[in-house]
């Protein structure tokens, strides 16, 4: 787990504009029971905050955010959860799927009704 955290911080630092940055916040807490948190910020705008807890399958469940530098000089905020369901990022900069056509919604309603009626197909 510490390797994953270090890798994430390295990726953030590598993606940042290449200039000297001073660390303005670096707080880390390891509670010894599998739960942890860290909070990091640099004066160039890069920052991240993460909280982790033990998961039901032996993994760490992690949630938090990081700021990703953009070409225009601004930053995009990416919030995420990583748990039994995998890594789930949320951000305005991430692509979203096209909406499903209405006929697909109708087919899903028909399939749901058939399942409720006990109809199965082999």
């Amino acid at each position: 787990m510490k390797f994953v955290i270090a890798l994430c911080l390295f990726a953030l630092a590598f993606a940042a504009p290449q200039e000297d940055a001073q660390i303005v916040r670096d707080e880390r807490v390891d509670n010894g029971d599998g739960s942890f948190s860290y909070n990091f910020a640099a004066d160039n705008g890069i920052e991240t905050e993460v909280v982790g807890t033990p998961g039901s399958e032996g993994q760490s469940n992690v949630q938090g955010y990081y700021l990703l530098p953009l070409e225009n000089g601004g930053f995009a905020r990416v919030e995420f959860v990583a748990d039994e369901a995998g890594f789930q990022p949320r951000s305005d900069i991430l692509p979203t799927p096209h909406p499903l056509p209405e006929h697909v919604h109708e087919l899903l309603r028909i399939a749901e009704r058939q399942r409720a009626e006990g109809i199965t197909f082999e």
Side-chain angles (χ1 to χ4, degrees):
M1 182 61 202
K2 290 181 183 179
F3 175 74
V4 172
I5 293 170
L7 186 60
C8 289
L9 288 174
F10 175 76
L12 284 172
F14 186 73
Q18 299 301 313
E19 59 186 56
D20 290 336
Q22 299 297 312
I23 296 172
V24 296
R25 186 174 61 244
D26 187 0
E27 302 167 354
R28 305 170 204 204
V29 176
D30 181 352
N31 297 316
D33 60 358
S35 63
F36 64 91
S37 64
Y38 64 86
N39 186 328
F40 172 87
D43 65 357
N44 63 0
I46 293 177
E47 67 179 67
T48 185
E49 186 172 314
V50 176
V51 175
T53 58
S56 63
E57 314 249 342
Q59 83 288 351
S60 291
N61 288 342
V62 181
Q63 64 181 23
Y65 75 90
Y66 55 90
L67 296 183
L68 184 66
L70 299 174
E71 289 181 10
N72 66 7
F75 289 85
R77 182 179 173 109
V78 179
E79 297 182 5
F80 66 90
V81 173
D83 58 15
E84 295 89 351
F87 181 70
Q88 305 153 59
R90 292 181 310 274
S91 176
D92 292 340
I93 66 167
L94 298 176
T96 58
H98 295 288
L100 294 175
E102 184 53 39
H103 73 276
V104 173
H105 291 288
E106 179 61 24
L107 292 171
L108 292 171
R109 286 189 288 273
I110 291 168
E112 183 63 32
R113 187 175 64 242
Q114 289 174 337
R115 279 192 294 278
E117 293 172 359
I119 299 172
T120 60
F121 298 94
E122 308 240 356

